[in-house]
Amino acid sequence: MPDSKRYAEDESECTVVLERYNTILDELFAGADVYVITPLWTTEAEVPPSQAVTGYWQSLLVEDDPDPAFRTYCHLFVARRPWRRGCIDDLLRDIADDKVAGVLITDTRLLRIHHPYDGGADVFLATSEERDRVRDRHADWLSRHPLGL
């Protein structure tokens, strides 16, 4: 967000957030298929029945506490789709509103990863040169915080 603001307060600011997400996603994935990886955290090892057939990929034990009540599992769901600007705007809006977290959008070779979150996004690229080009193209979008946060 402009001025390192974390949350959109109205529709015009939400438009800015979606425009920025989509601009970077277009630069990374235009004309290619992407994986949209969505996590679901639970205290149960089993995939919730309501989610079991919706692109289930794998489950990970994240916190192996001796007390089963405190174990944490991350169930990952993957959808492969051709990238088109705006194709995941509903999901991106939920991410920006902090309703969904931990989503990754990646090319099918896992060389470029976009991790949107409330207040911004992390972009992981194959080379430092590519990273620097993307950063320089969008320098005015970067946080003004001294640590870049």
Side-chain angles (χ1 to χ4, degrees):
M1 290 289 303
D3 301 319
S4 299
K5 191 174 179 180
R6 186 159 187 154
Y7 297 103
E9 293 179 13
D10 58 34
E11 195 56 36
S12 67
E13 289 181 347
C14 188
T15 300
V16 170
V17 171
L18 291 175
E19 176 64 26
R20 289 181 179 190
Y21 281 149
N22 278 293
T23 296
I24 296 295
L25 290 163
D26 278 349
E27 289 178 18
L28 299 179
F29 307 122
D33 280 3
V34 297
Y35 291 128
V36 179
I37 305 167
T38 307
L40 174 66
W41 288 274
T42 69
T43 57
E44 303 295 325
E46 295 78 33
V47 177
S50 63
Q51 301 290 322
V53 295
T54 315
Y56 173 72
W57 177 26
Q58 67 178 319
S59 296
L60 307 168
L61 176 60
V62 177
E63 185 64 44
D64 190 13
D65 195 283
D67 182 345
F70 294 102
R71 287 189 189 131
T72 305
Y73 296 86
C74 181
H75 307 285
L76 297 172
F77 301 85
V78 179
R80 183 175 178 153
R81 62 183 319 139
W83 173 254
R84 279 191 236 71
R85 183 180 200 87
C87 70
I88 59 170
D89 276 2
D90 290 342
L91 178 60
L92 292 172
R93 185 181 290 264
D94 284 346
I95 292 166
D97 289 338
D98 199 23
K99 294 177 184 173
V100 177
V103 172
L104 301 173
I105 301 107
T106 180
D107 63 283
T108 58
R109 293 177 50 211
L110 304 175
L111 295 176
R112 296 174 165 168
I113 301 171
H114 184 270
H115 173 233
Y117 52 84
D118 60 311
D122 292 326
V123 180
F124 302 92
L125 300 170
T127 68
S128 57
E129 293 80 17
E130 184 180 16
R131 177 204 61 208
D132 292 348
R133 283 191 303 274
V134 170
R135 180 198 62 214
D136 294 347
R137 241 187 334 268
H138 305 289
D140 58 323
W141 294 359
L142 299 175
S143 170
R144 293 187 186 138
H145 188 280
L147 296 175
L149 306 172

mmCIF file of all heavy atoms in Angstrom, residues 4 6 117 119-123 135 139 141-149:
data_model
loop_
_atom_site.group_PDB
_atom_site.id
_atom_site.type_symbol
_atom_site.label_atom_id
_atom_site.label_comp_id
_atom_site.label_asym_id
_atom_site.label_seq_id
_atom_site.Cartn_x
_atom_site.Cartn_y
_atom_site.Cartn_z
ATOM 1 N N SER A 4 3.439 2.688 3.004
ATOM 2 C CA SER A 4 3.661 1.489 3.820
ATOM 3 C C SER A 4 2.463 1.139 4.696
ATOM 4 O O SER A 4 2.600 0.535 5.756
ATOM 5 C CB SER A 4 4.920 1.659 4.682
ATOM 6 O OG SER A 4 6.042 1.835 3.867
ATOM 7 N N ARG A 6 -0.712 -0.967 5.864
ATOM 8 C CA ARG A 6 -0.852 -2.422 5.854
ATOM 9 C C ARG A 6 -2.175 -2.899 5.270
ATOM 10 O O ARG A 6 -2.210 -3.885 4.551
ATOM 11 C CB ARG A 6 -0.683 -2.964 7.264
ATOM 12 C CG ARG A 6 -0.682 -4.469 7.262
ATOM 13 C CD ARG A 6 -0.037 -5.034 8.474
ATOM 14 N NE ARG A 6 0.057 -6.469 8.316
ATOM 15 C CZ ARG A 6 0.937 -7.218 8.894
ATOM 16 N NH1 ARG A 6 1.814 -6.670 9.673
ATOM 17 N NH2 ARG A 6 0.946 -8.510 8.702
ATOM 18 N N TYR A 117 0.670 -11.596 1.255
ATOM 19 C CA TYR A 117 0.172 -11.580 2.637
ATOM 20 C C TYR A 117 -0.443 -10.217 2.895
ATOM 21 O O TYR A 117 -0.323 -9.298 2.069
ATOM 22 C CB TYR A 117 1.288 -11.906 3.638
ATOM 23 C CG TYR A 117 2.527 -11.062 3.483
ATOM 24 C CD1 TYR A 117 2.620 -9.798 4.061
ATOM 25 C CD2 TYR A 117 3.611 -11.523 2.757
ATOM 26 C CE1 TYR A 117 3.754 -9.024 3.912
ATOM 27 C CE2 TYR A 117 4.749 -10.760 2.598
ATOM 28 C CZ TYR A 117 4.820 -9.515 3.189
ATOM 29 O OH TYR A 117 5.941 -8.748 3.026
ATOM 30 N N GLY A 119 -0.628 -6.779 3.727
ATOM 31 C CA GLY A 119 0.393 -5.743 3.799
ATOM 32 C C GLY A 119 1.500 -5.872 2.776
ATOM 33 O O GLY A 119 2.395 -5.027 2.729
ATOM 34 N N GLY A 120 1.476 -6.885 1.919
ATOM 35 C CA GLY A 120 2.536 -6.982 0.923
ATOM 36 C C GLY A 120 2.679 -8.360 0.319
ATOM 37 O O GLY A 120 1.732 -9.135 0.269
ATOM 38 N N ALA A 121 3.900 -8.655 -0.107
ATOM 39 C CA ALA A 121 4.192 -9.953 -0.715
ATOM 40 C C ALA A 121 5.696 -10.163 -0.699
ATOM 41 O O ALA A 121 6.470 -9.210 -0.755
ATOM 42 C CB ALA A 121 3.675 -10.015 -2.151
ATOM 43 N N ASP A 122 6.084 -11.410 -0.628
ATOM 44 C CA ASP A 122 7.476 -11.799 -0.830
ATOM 45 C C ASP A 122 7.549 -12.464 -2.193
ATOM 46 O O ASP A 122 6.636 -13.194 -2.581
ATOM 47 C CB ASP A 122 7.943 -12.780 0.246
ATOM 48 C CG ASP A 122 8.030 -12.144 1.628
ATOM 49 O OD1 ASP A 122 8.359 -10.946 1.712
ATOM 50 O OD2 ASP A 122 7.767 -12.850 2.610
ATOM 51 N N VAL A 123 8.641 -12.206 -2.907
ATOM 52 C CA VAL A 123 8.837 -12.788 -4.228
ATOM 53 C C VAL A 123 10.197 -13.465 -4.230
ATOM 54 O O VAL A 123 11.209 -12.834 -3.935
ATOM 55 C CB VAL A 123 8.763 -11.710 -5.335
ATOM 56 C CG1 VAL A 123 8.977 -12.330 -6.701
ATOM 57 C CG2 VAL A 123 7.432 -10.971 -5.284
ATOM 58 N N ARG A 135 12.773 -5.779 -8.228
ATOM 59 C CA ARG A 135 12.832 -4.795 -7.133
ATOM 60 C C ARG A 135 12.994 -3.377 -7.685
ATOM 61 O O ARG A 135 12.277 -2.460 -7.279
ATOM 62 C CB ARG A 135 13.993 -5.127 -6.194
ATOM 63 C CG ARG A 135 14.105 -4.141 -5.017
ATOM 64 C CD ARG A 135 15.457 -4.183 -4.354
ATOM 65 N NE ARG A 135 16.467 -3.793 -5.332
ATOM 66 C CZ ARG A 135 17.695 -4.289 -5.382
ATOM 67 N NH1 ARG A 135 18.095 -5.194 -4.524
ATOM 68 N NH2 ARG A 135 18.556 -3.879 -6.304
ATOM 69 N N ALA A 139 10.486 -0.084 -7.188
ATOM 70 C CA ALA A 139 11.122 0.482 -5.998
ATOM 71 C C ALA A 139 10.182 1.391 -5.213
ATOM 72 O O ALA A 139 10.238 1.438 -3.981
ATOM 73 C CB ALA A 139 12.387 1.248 -6.390
ATOM 74 N N TRP A 141 7.200 0.925 -4.590
ATOM 75 C CA TRP A 141 6.247 0.122 -3.827
ATOM 76 C C TRP A 141 6.838 -0.401 -2.527
ATOM 77 O O TRP A 141 6.116 -0.891 -1.669
ATOM 78 C CB TRP A 141 5.782 -1.086 -4.632
ATOM 79 C CG TRP A 141 4.975 -0.783 -5.845
ATOM 80 C CD1 TRP A 141 4.580 0.443 -6.304
ATOM 81 C CD2 TRP A 141 4.473 -1.741 -6.766
ATOM 82 N NE1 TRP A 141 3.856 0.310 -7.452
ATOM 83 C CE2 TRP A 141 3.777 -1.031 -7.763
ATOM 84 C CE3 TRP A 141 4.545 -3.115 -6.846
ATOM 85 C CZ2 TRP A 141 3.149 -1.664 -8.822
ATOM 86 C CZ3 TRP A 141 3.920 -3.747 -7.905
ATOM 87 C CH2 TRP A 141 3.226 -3.019 -8.882
ATOM 88 N N LEU A 142 8.150 -0.354 -2.398
ATOM 89 C CA LEU A 142 8.811 -0.952 -1.239
ATOM 90 C C LEU A 142 8.542 -0.146 0.025
ATOM 91 O O LEU A 142 8.363 1.068 -0.011
ATOM 92 C CB LEU A 142 10.311 -1.060 -1.485
ATOM 93 C CG LEU A 142 10.717 -1.930 -2.674
ATOM 94 C CD1 LEU A 142 12.230 -1.856 -2.883
ATOM 95 C CD2 LEU A 142 10.253 -3.365 -2.481
ATOM 96 N N SER A 143 8.566 -0.858 1.148
ATOM 97 C CA SER A 143 8.364 -0.227 2.441
ATOM 98 C C SER A 143 9.446 0.806 2.699
ATOM 99 O O SER A 143 10.602 0.613 2.313
ATOM 100 C CB SER A 143 8.392 -1.296 3.534
ATOM 101 O OG SER A 143 8.419 -0.694 4.812
ATOM 102 N N ARG A 144 9.090 1.851 3.400
ATOM 103 C CA ARG A 144 10.073 2.869 3.773
ATOM 104 C C ARG A 144 10.743 2.547 5.109
ATOM 105 O O ARG A 144 11.619 3.272 5.556
ATOM 106 C CB ARG A 144 9.385 4.222 3.852
ATOM 107 C CG ARG A 144 8.911 4.687 2.495
ATOM 108 C CD ARG A 144 8.371 6.095 2.544
ATOM 109 N NE ARG A 144 7.798 6.422 1.250
ATOM 110 C CZ ARG A 144 6.677 7.063 1.092
ATOM 111 N NH1 ARG A 144 5.996 7.476 2.114
ATOM 112 N NH2 ARG A 144 6.239 7.318 -0.118
ATOM 113 N N HIS A 145 10.317 1.464 5.733
ATOM 114 C CA HIS A 145 10.921 1.046 6.998
ATOM 115 C C HIS A 145 12.402 0.747 6.753
ATOM 116 O O HIS A 145 12.737 0.151 5.725
ATOM 117 C CB HIS A 145 10.203 -0.206 7.524
ATOM 118 C CG HIS A 145 10.624 -0.603 8.892
ATOM 119 N ND1 HIS A 145 11.792 -1.309 9.129
ATOM 120 C CD2 HIS A 145 10.040 -0.397 10.090
ATOM 121 C CE1 HIS A 145 11.891 -1.519 10.409
ATOM 122 N NE2 HIS A 145 10.859 -0.981 11.034
ATOM 123 N N PRO A 146 13.297 1.132 7.661
ATOM 124 C CA PRO A 146 14.727 0.915 7.450
ATOM 125 C C PRO A 146 15.106 -0.539 7.177
ATOM 126 O O PRO A 146 16.075 -0.810 6.473
ATOM 127 C CB PRO A 146 15.377 1.397 8.764
ATOM 128 C CG PRO A 146 14.363 2.274 9.406
ATOM 129 C CD PRO A 146 13.021 1.836 8.928
ATOM 130 N N LEU A 147 14.356 -1.485 7.714
ATOM 131 C CA LEU A 147 14.640 -2.903 7.484
ATOM 132 C C LEU A 147 13.855 -3.460 6.296
ATOM 133 O O LEU A 147 13.925 -4.641 6.007
ATOM 134 C CB LEU A 147 14.330 -3.719 8.738
ATOM 135 C CG LEU A 147 15.186 -3.386 9.960
ATOM 136 C CD1 LEU A 147 14.709 -4.177 11.174
ATOM 137 C CD2 LEU A 147 16.645 -3.667 9.681
ATOM 138 N N GLY A 148 13.075 -2.607 5.636
ATOM 139 C CA GLY A 148 12.299 -3.054 4.496
ATOM 140 C C GLY A 148 11.040 -3.807 4.877
ATOM 141 O O GLY A 148 10.418 -4.438 4.041
ATOM 142 N N LEU A 149 10.664 -3.748 6.126
ATOM 143 C CA LEU A 149 9.493 -4.477 6.603
ATOM 144 C C LEU A 149 8.224 -3.647 6.469
ATOM 145 O O LEU A 149 8.224 -2.481 6.474
ATOM 146 C CB LEU A 149 9.673 -4.878 8.073
ATOM 147 C CG LEU A 149 10.951 -5.661 8.349
ATOM 148 C CD1 LEU A 149 11.150 -5.833 9.847
ATOM 149 C CD2 LEU A 149 10.896 -7.009 7.666
#
